[in-house]
Amino acid sequence: MNFLEERILKDGIIKEGNVLKVDSFLNHQMDVRLLDMIGEEFYRRFADKPITKVLTIEASGIGIAYAVARCFDVPMVFAKKAKSINIDGDMYKAEVESFTHKNKNQVIVSKKYLSADDHVLIVDDFLANGCALQGLISITESAGASVEGIGIVIEKGFQFGGKSIRNLGYHLESLAIVESMDAETQTVVFREQ
Amino acid sequence: MNFLEERILKDGIIKEGNVLKVDSFLNHQMDVRLLDMIGEEFYRRFADKPITKVLTIEASGIGIAYAVARCFDVPMVFAKKAKSINIDGDMYKAEVESFTHKNKNQVIVSKKYLSADDHVLIVDDFLANGCALQGLISITESAGASVEGIGIVIEKGFQFGGKSIRNLGYHLESLAIVESMDAETQTVVFREQ
């Protein structure tokens, strides 16, 4: 069991509806030492790739992307979820449905920050049905950039996102894959990796 | 002129309507080395305070808060802008108007992550009219925690937010204070500090 799986068992809370709450250390309050370790672990797993940029989506992906980008010493870019007056018109777009919030968002990245020369590592906190990730992949490929790898902190292995992304041939690494969880007994079973 | 002012002059873009775009290094693409320096500079300015938590608001504050929290070796917490099914009912709330997006958001922090024992450093990327900051101060004080200081990356000195926060007696440090800017000539004048 790795450091993240241990932390999930210690501080994660399971709610009905297959909701795993990790907001005490990952996506509301953030444990900066844990984030540092997550960054280092993704660096170790993708160190052989010529990463030029780390891409994520706001908001909870930002801390993770920063931790990873520090290790690679490359810029990170976060996709934004709504059109802002501070973003130029010239941008890549994808439509993304949120499992958590049950709504659809336009996701955008300025064309200035992704180009055909980029080798992109995509990172995010959760992978469930994979909608957010598909949006980030679509944006990266629209730019002509290559998706060198995908790093997910917690994958819900019982939903189809991870499987479909791997079937498409992407190199996907998840630090913890939850096979099943039970709100009544507060138990989590991880996939052996 | 400090490292941030130099970077703003080099890479900032001024748009009509007093919009300063720093999305090439601060709030869309993020320069992780610059973020590290921002974290270290805020640490230097608030090192004498007994900080137990760094508080910000999603999304672009997250990278900054992480950089600062790393230096203090304390957790960071980011306020969320909308009610999520993953947040418990028991939370502090404030209403915040966005200068950038011209809308109102409910801003929330779970009561689990701020308490009367906390000594809070609030950080954010921009300070203009101060609405977001007032929301974070209100949330901190609702928790009975003390606002030990406020760290802002870029303050728009020609708007009233900074002045009113300082008038209220808070220790506010801004790394760059823009006195004026001109979209036509692409010039920025900083306040001498």
Side-chain angles (χ1 to χ4, degrees), chain A residues 143-161:
Chain A
S146 58
V147 177
E148 293 290 342
I150 297 163
I152 296 293
V153 180
I154 303 173
E155 177 181 338
K156 290 180 171 174
F158 51 87
Q159 287 187 247
F160 58 89

Side-chain angles (χ1 to χ4, degrees), chain A residues 13 15 19-33 35-37 53 58-60 62-67 69-80 82-88 99-102 108-110 112-114 126, chain B residues 13 15 19-33 35-37 53 58-60 62-67 69-80 82-88 99-102 108-110 112-114 126:
Chain A
I13 295 171
K15 297 275 180 182
V19 173
L20 175 61
K21 285 168 55 74
V22 290
D23 57 320
S24 67
F25 57 95
L26 192 66
N27 52 20
H28 184 19
Q29 181 168 252
M30 301 182 107
D31 177 334
V32 297
R33 293 297 157 230
L35 277 180
D36 286 353
M37 289 169 71
K53 212 152 270 189
E58 66 179 8
S60 36
I62 294 174
I64 296 153
Y66 176 23
R70 288 185 84 248
C71 296
F72 282 97
D73 199 11
V74 298
M76 71 82 117
V77 175
F78 64 93
K80 302 200 175 196
K83 191 158 168 49
S84 150
I85 59 163
N86 281 358
I87 296 255
D88 278 334
F99 172 80
T100 311
H101 299 274
K102 315 282 186 209
I108 53 177
V109 172
S110 168
K112 287 187 282 189
Y113 308 127
L114 276 183
F126 271 97
Chain B
I13 295 171
K15 297 274 180 182
V19 173
L20 175 61
K21 285 167 56 75
V22 290
D23 58 321
S24 67
F25 58 95
L26 192 66
N27 52 20
H28 185 20
Q29 181 168 252
M30 300 182 107
D31 177 334
V32 296
R33 292 297 157 232
L35 277 181
D36 287 352
M37 289 169 72
K53 212 152 269 188
E58 65 180 10
S60 35
I62 294 174
I64 296 153
Y66 177 22
R70 287 185 85 248
C71 296
F72 282 98
D73 199 12
V74 298
M76 71 82 119
V77 174
F78 63 93
K80 301 199 174 196
K83 189 158 169 47
S84 149
I85 58 165
N86 280 359
I87 296 254
D88 279 335
F99 172 79
T100 312
H101 299 272
K102 316 280 186 210
I108 53 177
V109 172
S110 167
K112 287 187 282 191
Y113 308 128
L114 275 183
F126 270 98

Side-chain angles (χ1 to χ4, degrees), chain A residues 39-60:
Chain A
E40 286 155 19
E41 179 60 23
F42 282 130
Y43 179 73
R44 195 182 66 77
R45 296 190 186 199
F46 294 104
D48 60 327
K49 304 289 177 69
I51 306 300
T52 61
K53 212 152 270 189
V54 177
L55 176 67
T56 191
I57 184 167
E58 66 179 8
S60 36

